[in-house]
Amino acid sequence: MKHWDQFLEPYKHAVEELKVKLKGIRSQYELHSDHSPIEFVTGRVKPIASILDKAHQKGISLDKLDSEMQDIAGLRIMCQFVDDIKTVVELLRSRNDFEIVEERDYISHKKASGYRSYHVVIRYPVQTIRGERKILAEIQIRTLAMNFWATVEHSLNYKYKGLFPEDIKIRLQRAAEAAFRLDEEMSTIRGEIQDAQAFFTRKKEMQQDG
Ligand code: 0O2
């Protein structure tokens, strides 16, 4: 167990640091009263049981986990609109505190399950008492609708251990299409939504100023 604690320590640091940095992007937009492409950010270190399961499934040997398992440190960025995802990816590409190793676009190329999301794998330097260590982390960027679908599908996947009954599989695919249409619909009234949000932000600020 001590071995796992030591192994996971830099991943924990990376997740905490990246959460602060990514949430910082949102605060900066708020300060400038601009629409933030980031709605909220979450992060987690993959639980040991899931690391072992995935290593087993993918034939990754445990001494190669740090180079072959890309999502031990995982961050998730939720956006209101599909176009915000592009903005977030551009922001990530322009940073110099990590290096992008790989991008996977499951939005242009959705998975057979119906899953949509944009994945960016980064190499992130963590400062440890033994010097710098670069670890891999996966940042998943998705809309609120994509996140709703993925969260529900993930729970069902857990329940059925990936072997969905045919009717559930079809319903999930339909739900994925509905989430896609919801994103499209929201994009068409994006201007209206943003005007309303700006109005409420100004009203709140005026109330706070007294
Ligand atoms: P967790 O932490 O439980 O979410 P593979 O597992 O082979 O598809 P690979 O090569 O690791 O994936 O890379 P990929 O597909 O870019 O990223 C895997 C992660 O993406 C998964 O992590 C999920 O978080 C998410 N994901 C991918 N496909 C689906 C899907 O069909 N449904 C849902 N809900 N999420 C998906 P894990 O390993 O499942 O871990």
Side-chain angles (χ1 to χ4, degrees):
M1 223 44 200
K2 187 155 177 254
H3 165 74
W4 274 110
D5 285 345
Q6 281 173 357
F7 174 73
L8 293 176
E9 176 72 6
Y11 292 93
K12 285 186 189 154
H13 275 290
V15 168
E16 289 315 310
E17 288 177 16
L18 285 162
K19 271 202 289 191
V20 170
K21 290 180 176 191
L22 298 172
K23 286 178 184 180
I25 300 178
R26 182 182 159 86
S27 327
Q28 286 179 50
Y29 276 98
E30 277 174 346
L31 272 175
H32 293 90
S33 299
D34 282 339
H35 163 75
S36 168
I38 295 181
E39 185 62 12
F40 67 94
V41 177
T42 62
R44 61 100 186 96
V45 174
K46 209 175 187 62
I48 298 170
S50 309
I51 295 178
L52 291 172
D53 275 354
K54 191 162 182 170
H56 181 69
Q57 269 172 27
K58 299 198 140 213
I60 300 174
S61 88
L62 294 186
D63 57 351
K64 295 226 170 85
L65 279 180
D66 55 351
S67 59
E68 292 187 11
M69 196 170 290
Q70 297 177 325
D71 66 341
I72 294 176
L75 279 301
R76 215 166 259 167
I77 300 177
M78 266 55 68
C79 311
Q80 286 188 351
F81 305 102
V82 179
D83 281 350
D84 291 336
I85 296 176
K86 227 185 299 164
T87 310
V88 172
V89 173
E90 289 299 334
L91 279 168
L92 296 181
R93 286 183 189 146
S94 71
R95 293 188 72 109
N96 54 19
D97 51 347
F98 51 73
E99 178 198 335
I100 295 185
V101 173
E102 204 177 324
E103 294 184 22
R104 286 196 282 273
D105 181 358
Y106 299 126
I107 295 178
S108 306
H109 310 280
K110 68 169 183 191
K111 284 201 167 187
S113 60
Y115 178 77
R116 289 184 307 135
S117 229
Y118 197 98
H119 293 192
V120 176
V121 179
I122 62 167
R123 189 171 286 118
Y124 182 76
V126 180
Q127 309 305 316
T128 79
I129 51 171
R130 292 194 184 83
E132 184 175 276
R133 225 191 109 194
K134 289 191 174 164
I135 59 117
L136 293 176
E138 183 180 78
I139 308 178
Q140 301 180 343
I141 309 144
R142 38 170 88 154
T143 62
L144 298 170
M146 293 174 195
N147 188 49
F148 175 46
W149 183 91
T151 306
V152 171
E153 196 260 2
H154 195 272
S155 323
L156 285 171
N157 211 337
Y158 191 75
K159 173 174 172 182
Y160 291 111
K161 299 186 175 60
L163 298 167
F164 290 116
E166 201 50 29
D167 63 321
I168 303 271
K169 202 157 125 187
I170 291 168
R171 276 172 200 277
L172 277 170
Q173 278 161 354
R174 274 196 220 143
E177 279 159 30
F180 176 76
R181 283 198 303 277
L182 178 61
D183 273 334
E184 276 191 329
E185 208 55 51
M186 288 301 184
S187 295
T188 63
I189 52 166
R190 178 184 175 131
E192 289 274 331
I193 299 171
Q194 281 175 352
D195 284 351
Q197 286 171 342
F199 172 77
F200 283 116
T201 308
R202 275 198 307 275
K203 200 167 153 193
K204 215 165 74 190
E205 281 167 0
M206 272 155 61
Q207 279 165 351
Q208 277 163 356
D209 292 344

